[in-house]
Amino acid sequence: MLFRLEIENFFSVAERLEINFSLRVPDEDPHFAAIYPNSKKRAPKVVAVFGPNASGKTVFLRAIAFLAWFARDSFFSLSPTQPLPAFQFKKEDWAKKPTRLAVEIGLRSLFPGREAEAGVYRYGLEIQGQEGSVTKESLFYHPSTERKPFLVFERGCDGIVQGSDLFPIFPFKSETPPIFKVRSNASVISTYAQLGHQIAIEVHKALQTVWSNLLWVKEDLSVQRLISLFQKNPKLLEDANRELRRLDLGLLELTLSSNDLTFIHEGLTESIPWVFESNGTQSFLRSYPALWIALGTGGIAVLDELDASIHPEVLREIVSWFWDPETNPLNAQLFFSCHNILLLKELQKEEILFCKQTPKEGYTRMYRLADIKDIPKGEDFVRGYWHGAYGALPNIG
């Protein structure tokens, strides 16, 4: 489970922010799960991000989505000479400073001979914005049975990769000569995975369970992409129909052709094409594949504006899937931004992240509701937020 994120000089975040979601709560609380098997530390299965427009909610989600994309897809997604975008906070004194991102995730061991282990993986990245190139990249693994973490690999600004016993440089399945140096715009994992390096392939597979609707900008699934996903995954279409029938009164079936999605409604003699279906149904279907894949693999869904055009009761139902052991037996996680403050009634304080922008400096601050001291047990979070007790409200007027 993802339980820690560090962000520095990344879009609206200037000074280093560290968000740690790990905590110790009773094992029977369905809102939380062990960060890895048998760990005493637990993390929330759901994290909802609240705050005014332009406060940095998307930046938090984008940091997770970007790290997953870069580690998994950068080698194939970028041409060899294409620089990474300039992520730096838009003030002159930050332009020459690097962007730094790091994430910590609890997971089973991915290394041969250590299959019975589990522990914490820490992936870190440093990018020099003016050149759009990686200056540092590293992966560490801290098994639960050891006092100190092990280096898996690291690379510097010269692109030279330092391997380890856990990540040997030489043993490729193919006859391709070993690579000691990677491109300045590509990750070690994506580079070595395409060459058949077994450990890189295992990490790459684990990263395929992270799904998001944003990278540089929000990217909702197109109709053609949805059709392709449904054609490749008949069970996805079957389950989507089941949930649509439960959540949308009068909707009987979603059907697909080679170029459109159509909806059969009770009482109508003709089906409704995608373009005329309700925005709420469209929004639900665009988010559903990420939710379905996360729940089915124990992965992570990262969704910006999950509540857009969706009824509050439907949103509450979606979130509850991640708390229910029957629908989430593998402890998948959901990270999403939201403006529907009624959802605060359903969440615990450890599941709530606030974002706000400092008025003078213009950079984003992020803090958990659990970081605010002296919140009494049984506090009405909707009332408290509405009355400004937690900050992160728009300043109108």
Side-chain angles (χ1 to χ4, degrees):
M1 298 190 78
L2 191 159
F3 66 91
R4 182 184 175 117
L5 185 67
E6 298 171 17
I7 311 172
E8 181 180 344
N9 200 18
F10 184 71
F11 291 97
S12 63
V13 172
E15 297 177 349
R16 179 178 177 273
L17 292 177
E18 176 191 322
I19 307 103
N20 190 340
F21 294 103
S22 67
L23 71 161
R24 295 176 185 270
V25 293
D27 291 349
E28 62 271 13
D29 192 326
H31 287 235
F32 306 91
I35 62 173
Y36 55 79
N38 301 316
S39 173
K40 294 181 180 179
K41 288 186 177 180
R42 296 166 70 79
K45 300 177 187 177
V46 171
V47 172
V49 191
F50 294 87
N53 295 115
S55 61
K57 300 185 300 296
T58 299
V59 175
F60 168 78
L61 301 174
R62 187 182 283 132
I64 301 172
F66 172 74
L67 282 168
W69 170 85
F70 181 79
R72 181 186 61 215
D73 300 327
S74 53
F75 183 87
F76 296 102
S77 298
L78 300 175
S79 67
T81 59
Q82 184 178 350
L84 291 164
F87 303 116
Q88 280 73 13
F89 183 62
K90 301 304 181 186
K91 278 195 174 181
E92 185 177 354
D93 53 340
W94 288 92
K96 295 182 180 180
K97 297 179 180 180
T99 292
R100 295 187 178 95
L101 299 169
V103 65
E104 294 187 16
I105 297 176
L107 194 65
R108 63 178 177 82
S109 170
L110 301 174
F111 307 107
R114 310 180 75 111
E115 289 84 358
E117 289 183 355
V120 172
Y121 295 79
R122 177 183 172 86
Y123 180 66
L125 200 60
E126 180 181 279
I127 301 168
Q128 188 61 47
Q130 291 183 316
E131 292 81 19
S133 59
V134 174
T135 49
K136 290 182 183 179
E137 182 188 10
S138 62
L139 179 65
F140 286 84
Y141 170 57
H142 191 171
S144 61
T145 55
E146 302 288 343
R147 297 185 63 182
K148 293 182 179 180
F150 297 140
L151 171 71
V152 180
F153 67 76
E154 63 181 356
R155 53 90 76 91
C157 58
D158 57 5
I160 296 176
V161 180
Q162 176 188 340
S164 67
D165 291 341
L166 296 176
F167 194 92
I169 299 297
F170 292 97
F172 290 99
K173 283 187 174 180
S174 68
E175 297 300 320
T176 308
I179 287 194
F180 298 98
K181 190 173 182 179
V182 297
R183 290 182 349 215
S184 63
N185 66 348
S187 72
V188 173
I189 295 165
S190 64
T191 302
Y192 275 68
Q194 60 91 27
L195 291 172
H197 190 284
Q198 193 56 43
I199 303 304
I201 290 172
E202 290 300 315
V203 178
H204 191 270
K205 286 179 181 177
L207 290 168
Q208 288 177 343
T209 65
V210 181
W211 270 62
S212 178
N213 66 350
L214 78 160
L215 187 57
W216 321 124
V217 296
K218 185 179 179 184
E219 299 173 337
D220 287 322
L221 293 175
S222 66
V223 175
Q224 288 303 319
R225 178 68 174 136
L226 278 171
I227 291 171
S228 176
L229 287 170
F230 287 138
Q231 288 174 337
K232 292 177 181 177
N233 300 280
K235 186 69 166 57
L236 172 61
L237 179 60
E238 178 186 336
D239 290 349
N241 264 310
R242 184 192 66 238
E243 297 303 334
L244 283 172
R245 283 190 286 268
R246 285 201 318 115
L247 301 173
D248 193 337
L249 185 65
L251 183 57
L252 298 178
E253 188 175 8
L254 162 68
T255 63
L256 58 144
S257 63
S258 60
N259 59 3
D260 200 9
L261 295 170
T262 56
F263 301 83
I264 300 173
H265 287 263
E266 186 176 4
L268 300 184
T269 57
E270 295 184 14
S271 59
I272 304 296
W274 171 271
V275 68
F276 294 129
E277 187 54 56
S278 75
N279 287 337
T281 301
Q282 291 184 12
S283 182
F284 173 81
L285 283 171
R286 286 190 167 114
S287 298
Y288 187 73
L291 301 167
W292 184 82
I293 290 170
L295 290 167
T297 62
I300 301 173
V302 183
L303 296 172
D304 196 21
E305 298 178 333
L306 177 59
D307 60 332
S309 302
I310 289 180
H311 192 278
E313 280 300 298
V314 175
L315 177 65
R316 187 189 65 79
E317 171 68 15
I318 290 171
V319 171
S320 73
W321 294 344
F322 287 80
W323 293 327
D324 188 339
E326 291 189 10
T327 51
N328 188 15
L330 301 177
N331 295 325
Q333 287 179 286
L334 171 63
F335 293 83
F336 68 101
S337 62
C338 180
H339 286 289
N340 183 353
I341 67 170
L342 292 178
L343 189 63
L344 291 168
K345 290 183 177 180
E346 311 294 331
L347 299 167
Q348 299 189 28
K349 61 183 180 180
E350 294 85 4
E351 299 173 296
I352 300 167
L353 182 72
F354 289 124
C355 294
K356 71 177 185 180
Q357 197 173 70
T358 58
K360 292 184 179 180
E361 298 88 352
Y363 58 74
T364 292
R365 284 190 58 221
M366 300 179 186
Y367 53 97
R368 302 177 309 146
L369 180 56
D371 296 328
I372 300 175
K373 296 181 180 179
D374 302 324
I375 295 179
K377 188 174 182 179
E379 170 109 331
D380 184 338
F381 296 153
V382 175
R383 180 181 177 86
Y385 180 62
W386 193 252
H387 287 277
Y390 316 136
L393 279 172
N395 185 16
I396 300 174

